Amino acid sequence: MTADLFETVGDARPPRETMAEGAVVLRGFARPFEAALIPALGDIVKQAPFRHLITPGGHRMSVAMTNCGSLGWVSDSSGYRCDGIDPNSGAPWPPMPSVLCRLAAGAATEGGYAGFTAEACLINRYVSGAKLSLHQDKDELDFAAPIVSVSLGLPAIFLFGGLKRSDPTRRYRLEHGDVVVWGGPSRLAFHGVAPLADGEHGLLGRQRINLTFRKVRPGAAGR
Ligand code: MD6
Ligand code: FE
């Protein structure tokens, strides 16, 4: 699989770019999964449609979200939390399709985190202008496991900084199929997404879909 990626015609980007210690961009890593991945995502959003969450501060997020897996990430006026039930339907989140498990585990291994099993997959939809302010992913309990983040559809500018909000950030253009893995000394690095530029993607139209895989419960299986 990796050999094919090296030979992608017209893609001059290095297949692997280190952002910081423990943090890497894997260019095009998700491309071999896309034929199974895109229909699987369609099934999930039929069961658990995208919605704009309200932050604890009362703001409506510009990014629309849903989840699959045994736990989902939710936010309301009482705060951020992980919950096994979709508050909109009262039912459990759709199960994580095997293609997502394989993609997450494969990318984690390639990023230096063998043995990662994703419990939660947060699915985010960005349309033109949607952004994510600089933040840390710190609502999970298991900081030993990395975050695996898959970009699909329109390209975005990903901002990756340091452990302090005031640390300088670097900008990385993430395209369809790129995967970012961050863990270890970078697990709590501040990161964000600049406002999405409008455009049209051949497979996904005028949107960017981002999948972030997490392990929420501490335990040996995911280390
Ligand atoms: C991205 N997403 O969209 C990175 N974090 O490339 C995130 O960092 C993220 O989309 C927490 C919650 C939702 C997200
Ligand atoms: Fe994040």
Side-chain angles (χ1 to χ4, degrees):
M1 178 197 302
T2 317
D4 294 339
L5 297 173
F6 278 73
E7 287 155 17
T8 305
V9 176
D11 192 348
R13 303 175 307 157
R16 180 189 186 93
E17 197 174 336
T18 300
M19 302 193 300
E21 200 187 336
V24 67
V25 187
L26 306 171
R27 299 291 183 192
F29 188 88
R31 295 297 299 268
F33 297 84
E34 79 187 13
L37 186 57
I38 291 173
L41 294 174
D43 287 345
I44 292 165
V45 303
K46 258 187 247 155
Q47 297 171 64
F50 284 113
R51 73 287 311 260
H52 292 271
L53 299 181
I54 305 298
T55 67
H59 298 285
R60 177 184 187 266
M61 296 184 74
S62 60
V63 178
M65 298 185 175
T66 187
N67 295 278
C68 68
S70 55
L71 286 168
W73 190 80
V74 294
S75 161
D76 57 26
S77 53
S78 63
Y80 298 104
R81 65 179 193 281
C82 283
D83 200 316
I85 299 294
D86 175 352
N88 284 21
S89 67
W93 297 103
M96 186 152 351
S98 70
V99 60
L100 270 70
C101 299
R102 285 185 277 117
L103 168 57
T109 300
E110 192 70 17
Y113 301 94
F116 175 71
T117 46
E119 285 174 326
C121 176
L122 172 62
I123 306 169
N124 304 295
R125 184 183 63 194
Y126 296 70
V127 295
S128 173
K131 66 180 171 73
L132 203 61
S133 314
L134 222 49
H135 66 280
Q136 294 168 297
D137 287 1
K138 59 177 185 188
D139 299 294
E140 305 77 18
L141 295 172
D142 190 352
F143 295 144
I147 299 281
V148 174
S149 167
V150 176
S151 292
L152 299 169
L154 289 178
I157 301 297
F158 182 63
L159 311 168
F160 196 79
L163 298 179
K164 296 200 298 283
R165 188 180 289 278
S166 56
D167 286 341
T169 55
R170 290 189 62 187
R171 298 162 69 87
Y172 297 85
R173 182 182 154 94
L174 298 182
E175 295 184 5
H176 177 75
D178 290 349
V179 180
V180 183
V181 180
W182 68 95
S186 290
R187 177 62 182 75
L188 291 175
F190 276 89
H191 59 279
V193 179
L196 194 81
D198 198 7
E200 179 81 32
H201 183 267
L203 283 174
L204 287 170
R206 297 175 70 173
Q207 58 179 344
R208 169 179 189 255
I209 303 287
N210 172 258
L211 313 177
T212 50
F213 295 94
R214 298 129 200 277
K215 184 166 184 301
V216 184
R217 298 190 197 92
R223 302 196 175 188

